[in-house]
Amino acid sequence: MDMDIGDRDTVFPESIDLRKIPAHIAIIMDGNGRWAAERGLPRHEGHRQGVETVRETVRNCNALGVEVLTLFAFSTENWQRPDWEVNYLMSLPEKYFESELPELVRKNVRVLMIGDRKKLPRRVLKVIDDGAAATNSNNGMILNFALNYGSRAEILHAVNRLVSEAAAGKQVSRVTEKKLSSYLYTGNLPDPDLLIRTSGEQRISNFLLWQLAYSELYFTGVYWPDFDKAELLKAVSVYQLRKRRFGKV
Ligand code: IPE
Ligand code: IPE
Ligand code: MG
């Protein structure tokens, strides 16, 4: 067996119950710009440091035994940022995969992407597709990047697919929750158990509106570049203290 598989020998504090790890963690990685501004640095330095946090978070989630990690990297609204910043953000997937792909392959991580591919530069799609292809047969943690992702657009896309199928006579019965869920970009992925948002903002910003229906929400004032292993473990231990009721008593 591959000795490197999954960092499973990593030691975690006793406050973490390894039998109650959230299967799907989704993260709104926010606060890169403010992290940089507070240090008198240009915003892109915050994004650069944010990529380091992505590397570490992927390793730590994999070691914890998380099954799906969804990272909100670029929203459908983020195109409204200055061109230089959009371009910088679009250069990051390449930077990340260049250094991390061999390790992801080795650690049995499978790469996926959710979002609207149409507006994304070909270069970005290529690195994501190459990453997905190289890890296609892996069956460990799913690393799911939300890129040009907007939840309302996602729901509309699903509804329009259903409408066209109905118009073509392919779909006559009523639409069920299961059917609509399966037409979202998240397809057959489980809903997130835990949503983390860094930087102190307490909003969803058009992320996974349908899928978050019963997720536990965790907001921290820590900026994304400072969200280290200790902060991740804090979020997981807070999650483990929550009582999920799903409407029951
Ligand atoms: C998160 O940090 C990165 C993206 C949204 C792409 P921000 O760039 O939003 O940082 P703040 O919120 O301005 O501090
Ligand atoms: C949400 O952060 C999007 C990502 C983290 C990719 P934003 O910084 O864009 O969100 P708002 O504008 O503060 O709601
Ligand atoms: Mg922000």
Side-chain angles (χ1 to χ4, degrees):
M1 201 169 85
D2 188 341
M3 293 305 289
D4 208 8
I5 208 155
D7 304 307
R8 291 290 143 75
D9 51 349
T10 310
V11 180
F12 293 107
E14 274 172 37
S15 55
I16 297 292
D17 182 347
L18 290 171
R19 293 159 309 180
K20 277 173 55 183
I21 298 299
H24 184 173
I25 299 181
I27 308 184
I28 302 175
M29 309 183 288
D30 197 13
N32 294 351
R34 280 164 284 167
W35 180 91
E38 283 186 9
R39 286 161 179 76
L41 298 169
R43 289 179 61 84
H44 78 264
E45 288 297 337
H47 298 315
R48 186 212 299 276
Q49 199 54 42
V51 175
E52 298 308 315
T53 306
V54 170
R55 293 185 216 280
E56 287 308 309
T57 302
V58 170
R59 290 198 181 102
N60 290 323
C61 284
N62 189 46
L64 278 168
V66 169
E67 289 167 25
V68 185
L69 174 64
T70 296
L71 298 176
F72 200 5
F74 194 90
S75 77
T76 46
E77 288 73 32
N78 288 147
W79 297 106
Q80 299 170 72
R81 295 186 178 205
D83 285 351
W84 76 261
E85 184 166 353
V86 169
N87 291 338
Y88 189 82
L89 289 167
M90 287 297 152
S91 74
L92 296 179
E94 203 168 347
K95 200 172 152 214
Y96 174 76
F97 280 106
E98 210 169 64
S99 66
E100 301 301 291
L101 190 56
E103 183 178 330
L104 296 175
V105 171
R106 211 168 56 232
K107 288 189 175 166
N108 199 24
V109 172
R110 185 167 156 225
V111 174
L112 295 179
M113 181 209 128
I114 55 171
D116 186 353
R117 294 171 59 94
K118 278 198 290 287
K119 261 178 111 176
L120 288 168
R122 213 167 327 151
R123 209 181 65 244
V124 171
L125 291 173
K126 187 178 176 343
V127 285
I128 296 284
D129 290 344
D130 288 351
T135 59
N136 190 31
S137 57
N138 285 356
N139 60 4
M141 186 177 83
I142 290 175
L143 172 57
N144 184 29
F145 282 101
L147 273 174
N148 191 24
Y149 175 86
S151 189
R152 288 187 171 181
E154 173 188 41
I155 292 169
L156 271 184
H157 173 81
V159 168
N160 282 319
R161 265 179 74 191
L162 290 162
V163 167
S164 359
E165 287 183 8
K170 273 192 250 165
Q171 175 96 40
V172 279
S173 56
R174 292 161 66 83
V175 176
T176 59
E177 287 193 7
K178 196 168 168 224
K179 180 83 181 172
L180 180 54
S181 295
S182 74
Y183 275 40
L184 298 175
Y185 299 137
T186 42
N188 297 317
L189 292 178
D191 288 340
D193 298 290
L194 171 62
L195 171 81
I196 297 171
R197 182 171 189 149
T198 57
S199 90
E201 308 300 348
Q202 301 195 12
R203 55 176 170 258
I204 301 298
S205 301
N206 202 14
F207 191 45
L208 302 174
L209 299 178
W210 171 278
Q211 298 90 335
L212 292 173
Y214 262 107
S215 307
E216 294 298 324
L217 309 181
Y218 177 85
F219 298 102
T220 171
V222 172
Y223 294 140
W224 177 248
D226 288 330
F227 190 82
D228 58 9
K229 182 177 172 186
E231 293 297 336
L232 174 70
L233 294 180
K234 202 190 287 176
V236 170
S237 60
V238 167
Y239 166 86
Q240 293 185 334
L241 293 171
R242 302 264 178 95
K243 175 89 181 79
R244 301 184 77 185
R245 278 186 284 273
F246 300 99
K248 294 173 268 188
V249 289

